[in-house]
Amino acid sequence: MGNKADELVNAIAEMDEGKAIDLANQMLAEGIDPLEVLRLCRVAMNIVGERFEKQEYFLPELMMAGDMLEQIGAIVKPLLMDQAGGEEPETLGTIVLGTVHGDLHDIGKNIVTFMLELNGFKVIDLGIDVPIEKFIDAIEENQPQVVALSGFLTLAFDSMKETVEAIAEAGWRDKVKIMIGGGQIDEQVTNYTGADAFGKNAMEAVSLCNEWIGGAT
Amino acid sequence: MKENMVPIQIKVQNCDKIIECYPGENFNEAAQRKGLAIATTCGREGTCKSCAVRIVSGKVPAVTPDEKKLFDDMQLSRGWRRSCKFVPITDCTVHIPRRSLLVQSRHLIVIKKSDQLPPDPLVRSKLIKLEPSEIEGDADWERLLQALNRDETGPPIERIDLWLLRGLSRSLRKLNWDIKVYMRGDEVIGIGPYNSRAYGVAIDLGTTNIVGFLVNLETGEVLSANSTGNPQVSFGGDIMTRLARAARDRDVRKLMQKTVVDEINNIMQELCANEVQADDIVAEMVIAGNTVMHHLLIGLDIEQLGKAPFVPTICQALDIKARDIGLISTPYATVHFPGIIAGFVGSDHTMALLTSLSSLRKELSVIVDIGTNTEISIVDGDRIISISCPSGPALEGGEISFGMSATEGAIEAVQIDGNEITLKTIQNGAPIGLCGSGVLDMVAELYRNGAINHRGRLNITNPKVRSRDDRLEFIIIEELDGIEGQISFSQEDIRAVQLAKAAIRAGIDMLLKEIGRKETALERIIVAGAFGNFLNIKNAIAVGLLPPIPLDRFEQVGNAAGKGARLALVSKKQRLRAHTLAKTTSYLELSGQKAFMTAFIDRINFDYRKQNQIDGLKQSNGMETV
Ligand code: B12
Ligand code: FES
């Protein structure tokens, strides 16, 4: 099986979709633990992530890998449910995430959601153009450790600032960490908005959450 | 600090200029005060490094964490810093790379005879001779009014411009009651001697450039034209940055308005200098521009324009007295602002449509105006749909490591053959950077030569590809002149072009999908705009920016917005057509459309299946780019 495991990791990392799905199916049929298959997917995705950071891969590769993982996930999920007796698997922590009001860009945000989920976090994705109140409601309902704000427009910086202020007003500021991200976000914008940190890409979003929530790899 | 109240002297070694910097002032602002405009793409926020200069001698400020991210170690140790954050504390010498200097020099545009437009003007004139006033006679205006309406065939005259009225009695007497009266609609808008003439001015108010045309309203002849940079760039290179700054601060907004108005006043003066006599009048103006330029100039609210759903205050065409927006050199003139299509499809696109459609037979056509925001329309019989694509500035040379505007020394065409790189620069100047058409050529040639793969990744085994601080780049010129270092094209530059071309192509995909046609069915693609005029269509097809249809279906028309503004200036009929166009063109919002996102991602890579087709095109790809 060692061989097949390597092959699966490789197939995903090399964007060979057909082969990856075939292998996953074969391994599951051979009785390999679905959790193990998921772990391999994560290993592969980490490789893809590294290549993305090194600029070897670009957005389409991230999306394609995401697509493969989603397909494998769909095959594995029912098996996992059987195993766990229908219970939700445990998560490392909860993150409320959305694109701030006035901004409709969601490609970047979706990748962040995907990578966070893949790394064991529960993500409440509020979508795009999210009004401030919706963030507050979601925070109160889900008691997250981290709030993640995404935005690509210069004017989204103001929406982020307003959202952070509203979170403080609602009395949540010291109970959650706030991270922001999107095309042009940097240190300066982070200071302007009053958020705790920013991430340049989905990998950094994961490391920030790991750092704050103290999760494993 | 006290002894420092005297200004600090900074010598600019490559311009032979001394710039005086007040204590606490940044070098970028000080240079601008001295008429040396350095690029400020991010509006001096410190995030773009378009304003980079090299401090050659004197005290070089310590490296900040921000600068670590923008420059590599070698550049930092050589003294490269952002001029907008460089606050000199001692006298020093600075080198400003030529590609960061905004060329503010205005240049004249050559006008072709064919540019003469058939007039059918809004302003009409009439020669009038009045009897000198008698002791118990009627008031001056009443007598003029009577004379005007006596045998007038046009609409009856009812009003006179207030400012004109204030000087009416004096003018009538000075001209001895022998006058030429200029009218527009039911209003008198000008009075001059018999031999006076009426002129019009058309302005294409772009984010980066302003182009003006002086037209004889009676003959339709274009008399002079000029072009200059939009001085608003010091508030930010792109409209979103300017929007954000104007939205945050009312004073900044007012200053931005004043900056353009002053520049338009200057342009008008230059246009008129040799053609217009003291007694002549500029009676009519047309100003076309994107919605943000339009709103800022008129002084409309803009906060709502920067956020979804991007609502303009007004779409309808507007007629305003020039003086009401501060154009005081021609106070009585009416400024016409053509209708807007949507928040990000402005009156400049309405004007481009007007120009293109006047020569359009009923063929399935696409009109694309490439810029930071690329407006695209598809015309299918009477149906017109338009979109705005967020292509970013890469295709204009913006936010590219060695990108620059299309001025002397900019690489405008590139050909690569193995290890041989052939460059063509504007005015054959020594190469200093790449302008838009050069950027596009670069990517196309890298791909053809296998220096990048179909995913856009630079091939490390290519001898010209280097890895520096873990970042790949393709070396174009090894060492420039010892001061500015090399010219290269980085992996990030390639990514920026990929995003830009994907946004535009996905936009075209969406429009075709909307009307249910295939791209091979396209009978005409009109490429408008300054960059569009110089881009190599074969290369645009090779990188996947434009659809692969036969080359003879493409047409590069240049400044279609400016031409449209001239049409609307001299012709009532054209203005009416523009009205209808703005109203009937529908707008397709791409935001929130899953199909656009899929198409966008699909178009990021280079299509390796089309490789053969592209190779086929290569045979005929000479350097006839320009
Ligand atoms: C695709 C796109 C669109 C699509 C969006 C589709 C969608 N469903 O998202 C559409 C066409 C709808 C669109 C519309 C507009 N866009 Co747009 N768009 C882009 C484009 C080309 C790519 C953005 C993108 O998705 N990149 C892909 C992501 C995955 O890349 P990434 O940034 O590296 O992603 C990572 C990080 O952002 C990070 N991240 C993201 N979120 C978060 C959150 C957290 C917490 C963390 C830690 C990290 C993180 O992780 C991501 C994954 O690694 C950019 C140009 C560019 N070159 O970036 C312009 C751009 C963002 N758009 C721009 C503009 C102006 C607009 C419009 C206003 C104009 C228009 N032409 O219509 C509208 C506005 C719509 C709105 N209200 O938001 C400008 C913004 C300029 C500015 N200064 O504000 C840009 C920069 C283009 C430009 N230079 O002009 N756009
Ligand atoms: S960094 Fe100086 S203007 Fe952008």
Side-chain angles (χ1 to χ4, degrees):
Chain A
M1 99 150 210
N3 235 341
K4 262 200 185 135
D6 288 348
E7 271 183 62
L8 175 63
V9 171
N10 252 325
I12 298 174
E14 295 298 330
M15 304 291 130
D16 193 340
E17 179 170 341
K19 191 169 168 197
I21 310 288
D22 275 356
L23 280 166
N25 271 323
Q26 280 174 34
M27 290 168 78
L28 291 168
E30 283 167 20
I32 289 168
D33 188 348
L35 280 175
E36 172 64 9
V37 174
L38 276 192
R39 191 190 66 83
L40 292 172
C41 287
R42 234 177 345 247
V43 172
M45 199 61 204
N46 279 336
I47 299 176
V48 174
E50 272 165 32
R51 290 186 185 170
F52 178 77
E53 283 206 326
K54 281 199 286 187
Q55 299 189 327
E56 222 171 294
Y57 282 171
F58 198 35
L59 298 174
E61 289 72 39
L62 273 190
M63 305 293 270
M64 252 157 86
D67 216 44
M68 281 186 261
L69 262 59
E70 214 163 88
Q71 291 183 48
I72 298 176
I75 308 169
V76 169
K77 223 174 206 162
L79 300 174
L80 276 181
M81 290 298 215
D82 290 349
Q83 226 176 35
E87 271 174 53
E88 287 245 343
E90 230 179 88
T91 65
L92 295 173
T94 305
I95 293 147
V96 163
L97 169 151
T99 301
V100 291
H101 67 90
D103 201 319
L104 306 169
H105 291 86
D106 68 352
I107 303 177
K109 183 211 66 179
N110 292 347
I111 297 177
V112 173
T113 303
F114 176 78
M115 288 303 285
L116 285 171
E117 281 179 345
L118 187 74
N119 281 278
F121 295 97
K122 181 179 172 192
V123 182
I124 316 289
D125 187 337
L126 302 177
I128 53 175
D129 194 9
V130 179
I132 295 174
E133 310 80 60
K134 197 164 160 191
F135 272 110
I136 306 286
D137 291 350
I139 293 171
E140 283 175 353
E141 192 186 322
N142 298 290
Q143 318 253 333
Q145 287 90 345
V146 177
V147 177
L149 309 178
S150 181
F152 282 73
L153 299 176
T154 309
L155 277 165
F157 305 165
D158 292 312
S159 305
M160 288 181 170
K161 188 178 160 88
E162 289 163 23
T163 309
V164 173
E165 281 165 4
I167 293 175
E169 241 163 69
W172 282 91
R173 189 63 190 91
D174 29 335
K175 298 187 199 98
V176 295
K177 286 283 189 186
I178 303 178
M179 64 175 179
I180 59 173
Q184 328 190 11
I185 308 271
D186 61 9
E187 195 74 55
Q188 224 181 333
V189 179
T190 313
N191 293 337
Y192 176 75
T193 57
D196 293 305
F198 77 101
K200 269 202 156 146
N201 52 45
M203 276 12 107
E204 290 189 14
V206 173
S207 353
L208 280 173
C209 290
N210 277 331
E211 197 180 299
W212 286 334
I213 308 181
T217 29
Chain B
M1 278 307 274
K2 267 185 212 126
E3 64 276 352
N4 258 350
M5 283 321 284
V6 266
I8 297 146
Q9 310 245 322
I10 292 117
K11 188 166 174 252
V12 182
Q13 65 169 37
N14 52 324
C15 303
D16 244 357
K17 262 197 182 167
I18 305 273
I19 307 275
E20 294 192 329
C21 236
Y22 298 120
E25 188 183 34
N26 70 60
F27 177 61
N28 189 297
E29 263 171 337
Q32 190 183 22
R33 238 184 333 99
K34 278 272 164 167
L36 204 60
I38 307 174
T40 49
T41 303
C42 69
R44 301 198 180 104
E45 298 273 341
T47 54
C48 73
K49 81 163 174 189
S50 68
C51 63
V53 298
R54 184 176 165 194
I55 303 155
V56 193
S57 71
K59 189 161 167 39
V60 182
V63 176
T64 66
D66 287 349
E67 268 159 345
K68 269 224 168 71
K69 276 181 233 143
L70 291 169
F71 299 100
D72 63 38
D73 293 343
M74 166 129 86
Q75 289 167 325
L76 288 171
S77 68
R78 282 178 158 199
W80 286 99
R81 295 291 185 276
R82 296 163 300 177
S83 61
C84 70
K85 297 288 160 201
F86 169 41
V87 180
I89 45 171
T90 57
D91 293 357
C92 56
T93 307
V94 160
H95 172 93
I96 306 177
R98 275 204 289 150
R99 68 177 167 276
S100 324
L101 276 178
L102 298 176
V103 184
Q104 289 295 23
S105 71
R106 286 165 236 278
H107 56 274
L108 289 182
I109 296 171
V110 185
I111 312 147
K112 286 172 279 180
K113 212 68 239 112
S114 63
D115 280 351
Q116 178 141 357
L117 310 160
D120 130 44
L122 280 98
V123 174
R124 51 193 203 282
S125 65
K126 192 176 180 183
L127 299 175
I128 297 270
K129 188 163 174 52
L130 292 173
E131 291 303 316
S133 63
E134 286 145 24
I135 299 166
E136 293 277 309
D138 275 344
D140 291 341
W141 164 244
E142 269 71 20
R143 291 203 303 131
L144 176 61
L145 189 62
Q146 214 178 20
L148 283 171
N149 283 336
R150 195 166 299 142
D151 48 25
E152 174 65 33
T153 40
I157 296 299
E158 285 169 6
R159 317 178 283 140
I160 177 167
D161 178 273
L162 175 64
W163 282 31
L164 193 62
L165 181 62
R166 287 182 180 146
L168 179 70
S169 298
R170 208 165 2 106
S171 305
L172 290 174
R173 286 167 181 82
K174 202 176 108 201
L175 294 170
N176 270 328
W177 311 92
D178 244 347
I179 51 171
K180 188 167 181 182
V181 182
Y182 298 93
M183 298 155 290
R184 188 184 191 276
D186 64 354
E187 189 180 29
V188 171
I189 56 154
I191 287 175
Y194 265 30
N195 58 356
S196 63
R197 267 193 271 182
Y199 292 92
V201 170
I203 304 260
D204 170 23
L205 176 56
T207 310
T208 324
N209 286 307
I210 309 180
V211 189
F213 304 89
L214 177 74
V215 181
N216 180 328
L217 283 183
E218 284 156 30
T219 62
E221 191 187 352
V222 183
L223 301 167
S224 60
N226 67 12
S227 144
T228 174
N230 184 335
Q232 258 181 7
V233 292
S234 61
F235 296 90
D238 68 295
I239 43 169
M240 293 308 279
T241 310
R242 281 184 227 171
L243 237 179
R245 293 196 59 188
R248 267 181 222 145
D249 189 337
R250 276 193 93 80
D251 291 338
V252 171
R253 196 178 96 189
K254 283 197 187 125
L255 198 61
M256 282 166 80
Q257 202 244 0
K258 186 177 175 316
T259 315
V260 212
V261 167
D262 288 349
E263 194 59 43
I264 295 178
N265 274 325
N266 290 342
I267 291 179
M268 306 242 312
Q269 250 166 41
E270 272 174 42
L271 284 174
C272 297
N274 298 322
E275 307 288 343
V276 179
Q277 309 301 319
D279 289 330
D280 295 340
I281 69 164
V282 172
E284 185 86 9
M285 292 178 68
V286 171
I287 302 182
N290 64 52
T291 311
V292 177
M293 291 300 110
H294 168 278
H295 276 43
L296 277 173
L297 176 59
I298 302 177
L300 304 174
D301 288 334
I302 39 134
E303 288 83 350
Q304 80 291 347
L305 200 54
K307 286 189 194 177
F310 312 105
V311 185
T313 297
I314 182 170
C315 274
Q316 195 189 17
L318 260 182
D319 284 345
I320 299 177
K321 290 280 179 192
R323 57 182 179 252
D324 288 346
I325 52 168
L327 291 171
I328 30 101
S329 58
T330 55
Y332 322 123
T334 304
V335 186
H336 174 78
F337 290 90
I340 286 168
I341 295 168
F344 280 94
V345 186
S347 56
D348 48 352
H349 194 64
T350 311
M351 292 296 98
L353 282 176
L354 182 67
T355 315
S356 313
L357 296 190
S358 51
S359 67
L360 213 61
R361 300 160 290 275
K362 296 243 159 178
E363 341 152 90
L364 183 62
S365 316
V366 159
I367 295 152
V368 47
D369 191 346
I370 300 174
T372 303
N373 272 301
T374 296
E375 297 92 11
I376 312 176
S377 284
I378 195 159
V379 183
D380 181 21
D382 288 328
R383 192 166 169 217
I384 310 175
I385 310 170
S386 71
I387 52 169
S388 161
C389 291
S391 42
L395 293 175
E396 298 178 300
E399 284 168 34
I400 295 287
S401 322
F402 289 87
M404 63 181 288
S405 52
T407 50
E408 189 186 331
I411 299 170
E412 57 175 340
V414 180
Q415 211 171 1
I416 304 177
D417 242 315
N419 281 337
E420 189 93 5
I421 306 177
T422 318
L423 304 173
K424 185 173 181 311
T425 60
I426 294 182
Q427 287 161 6
N428 292 320
I432 49 183
L434 293 131
C435 65
S437 57
V439 167
L440 180 77
D441 277 14
M442 194 69 220
V443 175
E445 288 292 293
L446 287 176
Y447 183 46
R448 275 198 191 101
N449 282 272
I452 54 178
N453 65 14
H454 76 278
R455 292 186 180 127
R457 172 68 170 171
L458 276 168
N459 181 355
I460 185 76
T461 62
N462 185 298
K464 297 259 179 204
V465 174
R466 284 279 156 85
S467 171
R468 193 145 56 118
D469 300 346
D470 250 354
R471 289 153 67 206
L472 292 189
E473 58 187 5
F474 182 89
I475 311 289
I476 305 171
I477 295 179
E478 201 69 57
E479 188 72 15
L480 255 188
D481 52 13
I483 294 171
E484 293 186 15
Q486 58 185 17
I487 297 184
S488 61
F489 204 74
S490 73
Q491 185 66 62
E492 274 130 22
D493 298 340
I494 295 164
R495 297 310 189 197
V497 174
Q498 284 183 273
L499 290 176
K501 66 113 183 172
I504 294 171
R505 186 65 182 283
I508 299 176
D509 289 345
M510 291 298 289
L511 286 172
L512 284 162
K513 187 167 159 263
E514 191 67 18
I515 60 161
R517 302 288 288 270
K518 287 216 168 68
E519 61 188 17
T520 44
L522 283 174
E523 290 165 278
R524 214 143 84 104
I525 296 187
I526 298 175
V527 186
F531 164 71
N533 209 22
F534 294 107
L535 106 162
N536 180 327
I537 297 286
K538 283 169 216 146
N539 283 343
I541 295 175
V543 303
L545 170 69
L546 295 173
I549 60 172
L551 291 177
D552 58 12
R553 295 192 200 169
F554 288 88
E555 209 177 310
Q556 288 164 285
V557 296
N559 185 355
K563 174 105 188 268
R566 267 143 52 205
L567 286 172
L569 179 65
V570 298
S571 162
K572 236 184 311 191
K573 211 164 71 216
Q574 295 289 353
R575 203 174 280 195
L576 215 64
R577 278 190 62 216
H579 231 65
T580 321
L581 276 176
K583 272 208 200 127
T584 54
T585 301
S586 59
Y587 172 67
L588 176 68
E589 176 61 61
L590 296 178
S591 308
Q593 287 221 35
K594 201 144 185 74
F596 177 78
M597 181 173 129
T598 316
F600 172 65
I601 295 287
D602 265 2
R603 294 298 188 184
I604 288 177
N605 282 344
F606 302 99
D607 196 343
Y608 52 93
R609 282 160 304 182
K610 297 249 170 67
Q611 184 62 54
N612 294 338
Q613 198 175 339
I614 293 156
D615 282 345
L617 286 171
K618 194 190 171 178
Q619 322 287 307
S620 52
N621 177 30
M623 293 290 287
E624 80 281 21
T625 346
V626 283

